[in-house]
């Protein structure tokens, strides 16, 4: 089966290679690729003697007992080539996954991995690689992205690596949700100084719609403890058996063997909407741990909902092209419809640049909402995901005085600057609540959850258009009135310490409050108080040694993972947390940014030359080829219609054949979007450009058969000091000619900074 897949993929890859050779598109290892060494790229064939698809299959055995999931993730590698390889595979897990074990199996030999400091683990792995021993190294790149390396897989070898992790399932509105992420989407690296060909973001991808080149399987053994109702797996076809009312076995259907291009999502409810809540205690040998999961108060509709200002930040980059953007449009349309007559709103659309509905918040009149919907319909996915520039622009927009601000970001999160984005929101969002919507079949949950966490809001995931209505309704319901605010926890006679999180944020969602910590003796009380729209809320939990249970050993992992998340995962860029996080990882045997798992075989073999082989990944389902972009030199692709010439775009690595538009009658140049420095609006920049250079540009657009042009101008005291062509779509483009034209422009003498403008001709 794998040999047949290899033949098919090699045939496709060779065809792509020939096309690219004719188009002048260098592969990732060719001259000129160095300036994009850290970016994702399309898979190209290399040495035919090397097995380019070493991952045979990946799967998971999931045991859910009550609210705790214990997962055994298995990856099987097999070398069907003629040379010894080092396999490299980038894969995702949940943001709250606590990885606590790894083992490697070669034939009948099983090697348990050790947790080590990252640098030491790398040194051990490298020494084994050079010494002819099979070795595996697991490193964390992001809290939800990991990289596995397996060295010295000789021709015919089969190596199996099993990773063990645990996860806490937290219900929302009575619904439990288990998510098994299956594929890492390509990350835009244009806002990060990434020029390392060994970076995890430099991952090869297959073309749009191509199946995963490896087998995918998952089996869930669910023991809920209470009768299960409303069972659903909307992401994949499954086969379900029910041994009893409170148990279920969910297995992937055989037809889903290549289902590794999207997250596996299991949802279920317990009879009567019940949730597993209360106090769990674990009496350890050296330390005792507790988990408090408190059921939230019921939603109370406020008699008078105060008006708010809503700022929508919508990703329209290349990775959002097609299906994800269609879902976003449906979502935003529903959110606009839910605004109150006293509310105000604004929308910023972003990709390589940004475009704003209005320089000031607009009243939510029917006319203004119709204007927003018209602008929304115009949007198409294309360009890089410059989320930092978008956040800076959005957070600097004028605010409506006297109204609390609600910020709503809509994106797939395919960026590599998560911590920088968190810092921006932390430092510039002020008192606003930040809600993040992840759109797509395999979104970057680290970014989505982190933005909401830092911004004191809630994260939402929308995997398809059928979910947009329900999720939008849930958001509108949450923001009407928080369930619980001003939350305080007191310990009376209960000696608790190292409590995580140190402070509880306001609760919007119908989700339990969760508190982790350590304790000395199982006695006393825990008292939780807060404010609801209906008045003061108070709840007490009695602590006794009868609640202690040695089966709750996972609590130590949950506590450590929560503290690590607060220190490192969502910490400021450059924060000095390495020593503390490393200590936690080593003490509790957990994967972190600074600790890794390494396993080394004892047998030494003559391996010969070793070829490093990055496992190609499928694009997440619904994501177009436009997602694989970078900051590379301009690439040119032949368009569908012979008369259309070439489409040349910097930062986009694939044609968008379905998005070609024939020129309209009597075309004209207009500005479709962009950003400007303080003191200059986009409308003023457009006026200057068209008055001073419009005629000359229109002539060039016709001669060069240009449809669009993205340009970046550096302005000093009103004069254009530098010109950069970011990308274009058309037959040809001569940068030196355009530079002469744009350098003639004169802006007010007080203007300094960068003007980014997207020009269209049609």
């Amino acid at each position: 089966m794998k040999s047949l897949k290899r033949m098919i993929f090699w045939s496709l890859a060779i065809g792509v290679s020939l096309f690219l050779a004719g188009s002048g598109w260098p592969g990732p290892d060719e001259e000129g690729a160095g300036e994009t060494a850290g970016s994702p790229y399309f898979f190209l064939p290399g040495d035919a003697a090397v097995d380019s698809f070493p991952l045979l299959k990946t799967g998971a055995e999931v045991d859910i007992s009550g609210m705790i999931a214990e997962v055994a993730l298995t990856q099987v590698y097999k070398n069907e080539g003629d040379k010894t390889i080092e396999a490299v595979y980038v894969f995702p897990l949940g943001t709250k996954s606590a990885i606590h074990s790894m083992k490697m199996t070669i034939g009948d030999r099983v090697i348990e991995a050790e947790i080590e400091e990252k640098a030491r683990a790398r040194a051990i792995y490298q020494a084994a690689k050079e010494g002819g021993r099979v070795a595996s190294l697991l490193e964390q790149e992001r809290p939800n992205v990991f990289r596995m390396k397996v060295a010295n897989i000789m021709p015919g070898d089969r190596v199996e690596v099993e990773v063990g992790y645990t996860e806490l399932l937290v219900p929302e509105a009575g619904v439990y949700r288990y998510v098994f992420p299956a594929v890492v989407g390509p990350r835009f690296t244009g806002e990060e100084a990434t020029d390392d060909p060994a970076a995890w973001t430099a991952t090869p991808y297959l073309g749009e719609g191509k199946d995963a080149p490896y087998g995918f399987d998952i089996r869930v053994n669910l023991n809920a403890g209470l009768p299960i109702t409303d069972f659903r797996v909307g992401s994949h076809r499954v086969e379900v058996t029910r041994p009893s009312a409170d148990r279920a076995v969910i297995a992937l259907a055989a037809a889903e063997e290549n289902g590794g291009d999207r997250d596996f999502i299991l949802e279920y409810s317990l009879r009567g909407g019940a949730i597993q809540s209360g106090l769990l205690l674990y009496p350890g040998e050296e330390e005792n741990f507790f988990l408090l999961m408190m059921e939230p108060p019921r939603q109370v509709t406020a008699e008078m909902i105060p008006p708010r200002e809503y700022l929508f930040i919508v990703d329209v980059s290349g990775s959002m092209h097609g299906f994800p953007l269609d879902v976003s449009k449906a979502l935003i349309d529903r959110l606009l419809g839910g605004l109150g007559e006293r509310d105000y709103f604004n929308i910023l659309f972003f990709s390589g640049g940004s475009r704003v509905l209005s320089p000031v918040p607009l009243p939510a009149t029917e006319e203004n909402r119709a204007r927003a919907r018209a602008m929304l319909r115009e949007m198409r996915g294309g360009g890089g995901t410059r989320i930092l520039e978008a956040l800076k622009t959005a957070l600097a927009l004028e605010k409506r005085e006297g109204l609390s601000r609600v910020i709503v970001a809509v994106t797939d999160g395919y960026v590599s600057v998560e911590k920088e984005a968190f810092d921006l929101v932390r430092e510039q969002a002020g008192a606003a609540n930040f809600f993040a919507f992840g759109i797509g079949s395999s979104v970057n949950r680290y970014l989505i959850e982190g933005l909401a966490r830092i911004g004191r809001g809630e994260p939402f995931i929308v995997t398809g258009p059928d979910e947009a209505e329900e999720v939008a309704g849930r958001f509108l319901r949450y923001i009407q009135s928080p369930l619980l605010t001003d939350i305080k926890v007191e310990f009376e006679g209960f000696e608790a310490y190292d409590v995580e999180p140190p402070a509880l944020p306001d609760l919007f969602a119908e989700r339990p409050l969760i508190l982790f910590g350590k304790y000395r003796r199982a006695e006393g009380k825990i008292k939780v108080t807060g404010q609801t729209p209906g008045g003061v809320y108070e709840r007490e939990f009695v602590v006794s040694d009868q609640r202690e249970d040695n089966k709750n050993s996972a609590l130590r992992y949950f506590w450590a993972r929560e503290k690590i998340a607060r220190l490192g995962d969502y910490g400021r860029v450059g924060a000095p947390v390495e020593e503390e996080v490393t200590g936690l990882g080593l003490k509790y045997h957990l994967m972190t940014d600074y600790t890794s798992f390494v396993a080394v075989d004892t047998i030494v073999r003559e391996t010969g030359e070793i070829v490093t082989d990055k496992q190609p990944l499928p694009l997440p389902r619904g994501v177009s080829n436009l997602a694989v972009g970078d900051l590379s030199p301009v690439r040119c692709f032949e368009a569908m219609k012979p008369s259309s010439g070439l489409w040349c775009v910097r930062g986009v690595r694939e044609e968008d054949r379905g998005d070609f538009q024939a020129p309209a009658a009597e075309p004209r140049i207009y500005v479709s979007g962009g950003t400007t420095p303080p003191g200059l609006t986009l409308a003023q920049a457009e006026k200057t450009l068209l008055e001073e250079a419009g005629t000359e540009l229109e002539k060039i657009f016709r001669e060069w058969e240009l449809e669009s042009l993205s340009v970046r101008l550096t302005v000093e005291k009103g004069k254009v000091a530098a010109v950069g062509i970011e990308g274009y779509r058309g037959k040809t483009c001569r940068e030196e000619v355009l530079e002469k034209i744009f350098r003639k422009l004169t802006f007010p003498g007080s203007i300094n900074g960068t003007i980014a403008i997207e020009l269209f001709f049609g």
Side-chain angles (χ1 to χ4, degrees):
M1 180 65 180
K2 188 179 179 187
S3 298
L4 177 60
K5 285 185 179 179
R6 287 184 64 206
M7 290 175 61
I8 294 172
F9 275 108
W10 275 106
S11 299
L12 290 170
I14 290 170
V16 171
S17 178
L18 292 173
F19 167 74
L20 298 178
S23 69
W25 178 8
D29 299 320
E30 294 182 31
E31 185 178 354
E35 55 190 282
T36 62
S39 298
Y41 55 91
F42 282 113
F43 166 74
L44 294 175
D47 188 343
V50 177
D51 185 352
S52 295
F53 304 95
L55 182 64
L56 182 65
K57 63 180 179 180
T58 180
E61 187 79 15
V62 184
D63 292 309
I64 299 176
S65 180
M67 52 186 152
I68 298 174
E70 185 64 40
V71 184
L73 168 66
T74 302
Q75 298 168 359
V76 180
Y77 300 86
K78 187 174 182 182
N79 185 358
E80 294 188 351
D82 300 323
K83 291 186 177 181
T84 301
I85 62 172
E86 174 193 37
V88 181
Y89 174 44
V90 176
F91 65 96
L93 290 177
T95 56
K96 301 297 178 66
S97 301
I99 301 178
H100 54 72
S101 67
M102 186 179 89
K103 64 182 179 181
M104 178 175 68
T105 302
I106 312 150
D108 57 358
R109 303 190 304 282
V110 179
I111 300 97
E112 294 287 344
E114 297 294 332
I115 188 79
E116 301 281 358
E117 292 184 27
K118 180 172 278 189
R120 175 170 167 75
R122 285 181 177 175
I124 293 171
Y125 174 81
Q126 187 64 29
K129 176 182 173 182
E130 294 172 359
R133 290 182 291 172
V134 178
S136 55
L137 174 68
L138 178 61
E139 295 183 317
Q140 177 175 305
E141 304 295 346
R142 294 291 188 272
N144 63 331
V145 178
F146 302 86
R147 177 160 53 173
M148 180 72 75
K149 293 183 178 180
V150 184
N152 290 322
I153 309 177
M154 295 183 68
D157 278 357
R158 178 186 173 107
V159 179
E160 183 175 305
V161 182
E162 181 181 301
V163 177
Y165 68 92
T166 190
E167 196 171 309
L168 183 67
L169 302 187
V170 181
E172 182 175 345
V175 178
Y176 285 84
R177 183 175 292 105
Y178 171 73
V179 178
F180 180 75
V183 65
V184 175
R187 299 301 199 255
F188 175 73
T189 60
E191 293 183 299
E192 181 184 31
T194 303
D195 199 25
D196 179 9
W200 71 270
T201 50
T203 297
Y205 283 86
L206 303 174
E208 178 181 343
K210 300 293 189 297
D211 286 338
Y214 44 80
F216 173 75
D217 195 19
I218 186 169
R219 177 186 172 94
V220 180
N221 305 300
L222 173 58
N223 184 2
L226 293 171
I228 303 168
T229 60
D230 301 328
F231 186 92
R232 179 176 181 267
V233 178
S235 59
H236 294 74
R237 287 166 288 181
V238 296
E239 297 174 354
V240 181
T241 56
R242 298 290 301 272
S244 62
D246 63 345
R247 298 181 62 195
V249 178
I250 304 100
L252 207 63
E256 294 282 18
E257 181 189 5
N258 298 115
D261 62 351
R262 60 199 184 277
D263 294 350
F264 174 89
I265 303 175
L266 162 66
E267 296 177 328
Y268 62 94
S269 301
L270 305 180
R271 181 180 294 171
I275 67 171
Q276 300 273 7
S277 62
L279 180 65
L280 298 181
L281 304 178
Y282 171 62
E285 293 182 5
E286 298 179 358
E287 297 173 307
N288 305 321
F289 297 86
F290 75 87
L291 162 62
L292 175 65
M293 183 178 284
M294 189 190 82
E295 189 171 358
R298 297 198 175 276
Q299 183 83 40
V300 178
T301 302
E303 295 181 3
M304 182 63 71
I305 302 170
R308 292 183 172 92
E309 177 210 331
Y310 294 87
L311 174 57
F312 300 99
I313 304 172
V314 185
D315 182 355
V316 292
S317 64
S319 61
M320 294 290 287
H321 175 79
F323 160 77
L325 188 53
D326 291 342
V327 175
S328 296
K329 290 179 178 180
L331 175 69
I332 295 296
D333 183 75
R334 174 66 178 86
L335 293 178
L336 289 172
L339 299 182
E341 59 182 16
R342 298 186 300 146
D343 291 331
Y344 280 72
F345 77 101
N346 205 347
I347 304 180
L348 179 142
F349 299 95
F350 76 93
S351 55
S354 59
R355 183 178 174 187
V356 182
L357 175 66
S358 169
V360 297
L362 300 174
T365 62
E366 285 300 326
E367 179 181 355
N368 285 333
R369 280 187 276 192
R371 177 182 165 192
R373 289 185 173 108
M375 188 174 178
L376 181 65
R377 287 192 294 270
E378 294 175 7
M379 295 297 150
R380 300 180 180 182
T385 313
R386 293 189 175 273
I387 194 169
L388 298 183
E389 288 186 15
L391 288 173
K392 290 176 185 176
T393 302
L395 295 173
L397 287 173
E398 184 174 323
K399 183 183 180 299
R400 182 72 180 179
E401 290 298 324
L403 298 185
S404 61
R405 174 179 265 188
V406 175
I407 302 173
V408 178
V410 181
T411 178
D412 53 21
Y414 290 163
V415 297
S416 61
V417 288
E418 294 97 337
K419 284 191 178 182
E420 291 83 352
F422 300 158
D423 281 357
L424 266 176
V425 172
R426 180 187 288 111
E427 294 164 3
Q428 299 184 25
N433 291 111
F434 203 110
F435 294 80
F437 287 75
I439 308 296
S441 61
S442 190
V443 303
N444 182 2
R445 293 173 185 260
Y446 175 44
L447 179 78
I448 303 305
E449 293 173 8
L451 287 174
R453 174 169 168 161
I454 298 298
R456 303 176 303 281
E458 291 288 341
F460 299 85
I461 304 296
V462 187
T463 61
D466 56 324
E467 297 178 6
E469 177 76 18
E470 185 273 328
V471 174
R474 192 149 38 100
F475 164 76
L476 293 169
R477 187 170 70 251
Y478 288 171
I479 61 172
Q480 286 179 0
S481 180
L483 290 174
L484 198 61
T485 61
D486 194 24
I487 303 170
K488 293 181 174 60
V489 179
E490 297 176 0
F491 302 104
E492 299 178 358
F494 179 51
E495 292 187 63
Y497 64 103
D498 282 351
V499 176
E500 294 291 338
L504 290 167
D506 292 350
L507 181 64
F508 286 90
E510 298 172 55
R511 183 185 300 123
L513 284 173
I514 297 176
L515 202 66
F516 304 96
K518 300 177 184 177
Y519 68 96
R520 291 189 173 86
R521 287 188 300 276
E523 60 184 19
K525 291 190 298 185
I526 302 176
K527 183 178 178 181
V528 181
T529 59
Q531 294 290 329
T532 74
V536 177
Y537 178 87
E538 184 175 312
R539 183 87 182 270
E540 287 188 354
F541 296 85
V542 176
V543 182
S544 72
D545 56 10
Q546 294 180 357
R547 293 179 179 269
E548 292 185 317
D549 192 338
N550 289 321
K551 293 180 180 178
N552 295 332
S553 59
L555 298 192
R556 68 186 190 275
Y557 296 138
F558 295 148
W559 173 85
R561 187 68 188 86
E562 183 70 15
K563 184 159 187 174
I564 290 166
R566 181 173 62 82
L567 289 172
D569 297 349
Y570 299 101
R572 293 175 183 272
V573 173
V577 299
E578 180 174 349
E579 184 177 348
E580 188 171 1
V581 172
T582 300
L584 288 167
L586 295 176
K587 180 177 181 178
Y588 296 101
H589 213 257
L590 286 178
M591 170 74 68
T592 72
D593 274 342
Y594 309 108
T595 54
S596 304
F597 281 100
V598 61
V600 178
D601 194 10
T602 56
I603 296 178
V604 178
R605 300 184 296 177
E606 290 294 330
T607 59
E609 179 191 5
I610 303 172
V611 180
T612 297
D613 196 354
K614 293 184 177 181
Q615 170 66 46
L617 304 180
L619 284 172
R621 176 168 291 191
V623 173
S624 80
N625 288 334
L626 292 175
V628 183
D630 54 29
L631 301 178
S632 58
V634 173
R635 317 290 191 179
C636 300
F637 309 96
E638 187 173 345
M640 286 281 288
K641 300 180 181 180
S643 62
S644 305
L646 298 178
W647 176 14
C648 304
V649 184
R650 174 177 275 113
V652 177
R653 289 197 162 196
E654 180 59 65
E655 57 198 332
D656 181 15
R657 298 181 181 272
D659 194 37
F660 179 82
Q661 295 291 316
E666 299 182 3
R668 64 180 181 86
I669 290 177
Y670 63 94
V671 174
S672 66
T675 58
T676 56
L680 184 71
T681 67
L682 194 60
Q684 291 169 335
E686 180 180 34
K687 184 173 184 293
T688 298
L689 187 147
L690 295 181
E691 286 180 354
E692 298 183 13
T695 302
E696 201 168 0
L697 284 173
E698 183 175 321
K699 180 181 178 182
I700 284 176
F701 268 65
R702 290 181 186 277
E703 288 179 358
W704 296 351
E705 297 183 24
L706 288 175
E707 290 184 48
S708 64
L709 177 70
S710 295
V711 62
R712 188 174 292 264
L713 310 177
T714 301
V715 180
E716 297 176 359
K717 296 181 179 180
K719 302 292 185 181
V720 178
V723 178
I725 305 303
E726 295 294 301
Y728 67 92
R729 180 175 180 175
K731 187 175 182 179
T732 189
C733 180
R734 295 171 58 192
E735 192 163 342
E736 68 278 6
V737 174
L738 291 170
E739 183 174 2
K740 290 180 181 179
I741 296 173
F742 286 117
R743 278 186 176 272
K744 297 176 185 177
L745 300 179
T746 303
F747 298 95
S750 60
I751 302 302
N752 293 283
T754 300
I755 301 175
I757 293 180
E758 298 178 11
L759 297 174
F760 271 74
F761 185 59

